[in-house]
Structure formats: structure tokens, C-alpha cells
Amino acid sequence: GLWADQTNIHAVLIRSNSPKAFCAGGDIRYLYDSYMNGKQDHQAYFQAEYEMLNSIRAYEKPIIVILDGYVLGGGFGLAQACHVLRSSEKSKFAMPETAIGFFPDVAATHFLSRLDDIGVYMATTGDQISASDALYLDLIDYHVPSEQLVQLEEELRNSKHLSKENIEQLIAKYITRPAESELSQNADLIRKHFGFESIDAIENSLENEQHNDAQMWALKIRNTLEQRSPIAKRISLQLQHLGRGLSLKQCMQIERHLQDVWFQHGDIVEGVRALIVDK
């Protein structure tokens, strides 16, 4: 907020200080511990997170995000809120919440639902996709090789005029064509199996895939879904269907309501305990 009125600051750049990840998601251990200690800190945490997302989206100066590693959960939502998204081939994207008995939040009810059946697949399985896939799905704006990032950042820093148009022109010089998107090759298969109204129907469809070429893929996806929390994958499916007809603001309001009740009525406490605490 402090930078908004400073005339010498033209744009904001967000990147990670880790070579492995942009952001691996929210601090679920903190949320778990807070809840187990009888506190309501999780509600304040989510409230602050959503205020931050809204502030980033509404920011009047361009916000550029550089992705070079894992972009998961809350990190994915943060990146989607930024104005110019640039990723290297090293990035892997996912909303893996169903693996801990939660649902894709941070506005995923909006940004994944715009991908129709592919959004349902991503929301329910939590599978990771590549930077090539993210570009194919329009979840990122530009693909720039990892080795070019330092140079690009340097050029952005030294530029005297950083309007959104100038930033895009600068980045354009570094763009390369990524490897072919694997997801694009499976898009028809995903639509065939993930267009149903219920998780049972989706799992049944995957189990009954008849084509030899697709059977291995279908079995792998079916196994992933089987390992996901039943309540989490059902709610995630419903949210994706619902989100298609709602505005961004409405999607975020529904998510916020669900977040507040989820620790009492959802599967996250058990999910986090099984995945993190017991290990």
C-alpha cells in the first residue's frame, strides 16, 4: 500500500527466494495447531489472505510475478491475482487441497471453473501440471527460460518506464516456445470423464475406459481420486460447477464462508494429521 502513491515506484515484482518453489501453499501446520489449541486463528488467517488477494488484483500499478518452481495452493491463487504472469519451464502448478481434506480456495472456484471439465479434473485430483500446460490453459501469460530470468529482471529494474504495455514488450523479447503440453494431448479424455455431475459417475467412467491407449491413464487418475477425501472431492466438484455461473467476488465469498466452517465440519483436521503430523 505504501508504494501506491510513490511516483518513483512504477511497478511491483513478486518472486521467490527459493530455487525450488515460488510458493508451496499456505501454512497448514500453523492452521492445524491453532485449531487444535482451541483458537480461531484460522479465520483471521483466511481473512487476511483474501484481503491481500483483493488488494493485489485492485492495485493500480502493474504487479509482475516471476514463477520458477512449484506454484501450489495459496501460491497459485497469489500468482493468479497478479497482473503479468511469467513462468519458466521449471514451474509445476497444482491446487492439491483435496489431498489434505480441503477444497481449492484462493479464488480457484473462479479461475479453475473457467476451464470447465479440466478445472474439475485439477480441483478434484490435485494433480500437478507443467508450465507448458499452464500456458495452454491461459493460467500464465508468458513462458521465459529459467536461465534468462536474471537478465529479464535486470532489464525490468533498469527500465525508466514500466507501464503494463512496456513490461509486456520487454518480456516479449525473452519468450520461447515451451515443450508441448501433455495436458493438451489428454484434454479430450479429461472432458470425456470429468463432465459428469457426481464424483461417483466420474470414477465409474474412468474405471470403464475401454480404449487400450487411455486405460493406463484412466486407471492412474482413478487411483488418485480414490485416495482423496470423499467430502473434499465432492465439495470441490460442486464448487467448480457452481463457480461457472458466479463472479469472482461471489466465488470468493462462498470460499470464505466454507473456510470458516470447514475445520468443524470438513476433513482437514484429519487430513493434515495424516499427511503431516503423524509423519
Side-chain angles (χ1 to χ4, degrees):
L2 290 173
W3 302 333
D5 301 324
Q6 290 186 22
T7 51
N8 62 329
I9 292 176
H10 297 190
V12 179
L13 177 74
I14 299 177
R15 64 168 173 78
S16 167
N17 58 4
S18 159
K20 290 185 180 169
F22 168 69
C23 173
D27 189 348
I28 51 175
R29 182 63 197 257
Y30 162 77
L31 296 176
Y32 173 88
D33 288 341
S34 150
Y35 180 75
M36 295 308 281
N37 292 330
K39 297 177 184 168
Q40 295 297 305
D41 290 4
H42 61 283
Q43 296 184 3
Y45 174 98
F46 288 128
Q47 189 58 38
E49 182 179 37
Y50 275 53
E51 283 170 9
M52 174 192 71
L53 291 172
N54 287 331
S55 298
I56 288 173
R57 284 187 193 277
Y59 209 70
E60 290 188 3
K61 293 178 180 181
I63 298 184
I64 313 151
V65 67
I66 290 188
L67 309 169
D68 188 40
Y70 289 106
V71 184
L72 308 179
F76 202 163
L78 170 62
Q80 285 299 303
C82 295
H83 310 155
V84 182
L85 287 80
R86 199 234 43 87
S87 174
S88 80
E89 73 287 353
K90 288 185 182 172
S91 297
K92 293 265 186 264
F93 300 79
M95 292 302 289
E97 285 78 7
T98 55
I100 54 157
F102 197 45
F103 59 92
D105 57 348
V106 290
T109 304
H110 193 262
F111 69 78
L112 286 187
S113 70
R114 296 307 178 267
L115 308 174
D116 291 314
D117 301 334
I118 292 173
V120 171
Y121 153 71
M122 288 181 65
T124 54
T125 64
D127 276 359
Q128 288 183 12
I129 64 167
S130 70
S132 303
D133 298 333
L135 193 65
Y136 163 72
L137 295 173
D138 228 10
L139 291 167
I140 57 173
D141 301 317
Y142 302 101
H143 176 273
V144 174
S146 187
E147 68 217 22
Q148 299 280 311
L149 292 184
V150 174
Q151 203 177 329
L152 169 58
E153 202 177 312
E154 201 59 35
E155 199 168 341
L156 286 166
R157 283 179 197 281
N158 293 330
S159 176
K160 295 284 183 282
H161 304 288
L162 283 177
S163 66
K164 192 161 185 282
E165 291 71 27
N166 287 350
I167 291 163
E168 287 169 346
Q169 283 168 8
L170 271 179
I171 296 173
K173 295 192 294 188
Y174 293 87
I175 293 172
T176 60
R177 195 178 168 79
E180 194 176 349
S181 159
E182 203 178 307
L183 191 140
S184 70
Q185 296 168 321
N186 291 328
D188 289 341
L189 260 180
I190 291 171
R191 290 188 191 103
K192 173 182 174 182
H193 294 295
F194 281 84
F196 296 96
E197 288 298 308
S198 73
I199 289 289
D200 290 345
I202 290 171
E203 290 180 352
N204 196 38
S205 175
L206 286 162
E207 203 168 348
N208 292 306
E209 173 59 64
Q210 297 303 314
H211 286 282
N212 287 341
D213 294 351
Q215 272 178 335
M216 282 281 288
W217 176 89
L219 198 63
K220 180 168 147 277
I221 304 293
R222 170 85 172 77
N223 287 343
T224 299
L225 273 176
E226 268 210 306
Q227 292 164 36
R228 300 299 176 239
S229 145
I231 186 176
K233 62 188 174 184
R234 287 192 168 87
I235 292 288
S236 297
L237 175 71
Q238 285 179 354
L239 285 172
Q240 285 302 303
H241 287 167
L242 193 63
R244 292 170 188 176
L246 300 177
S247 68
L248 174 65
K249 188 179 175 186
Q250 289 169 319
C251 287
M252 291 177 82
Q253 282 171 338
I254 288 172
E255 289 174 359
R256 276 294 299 116
H257 173 68
L258 268 178
Q259 286 168 335
D260 284 350
V261 299
W262 198 265
F263 279 76
Q264 276 86 11
H265 304 292
D267 229 0
I268 189 168
V269 175
E270 175 59 27
V272 175
R273 186 190 61 73
L275 191 77
I276 293 179
V277 181
D278 285 1
K279 287 189 177 174

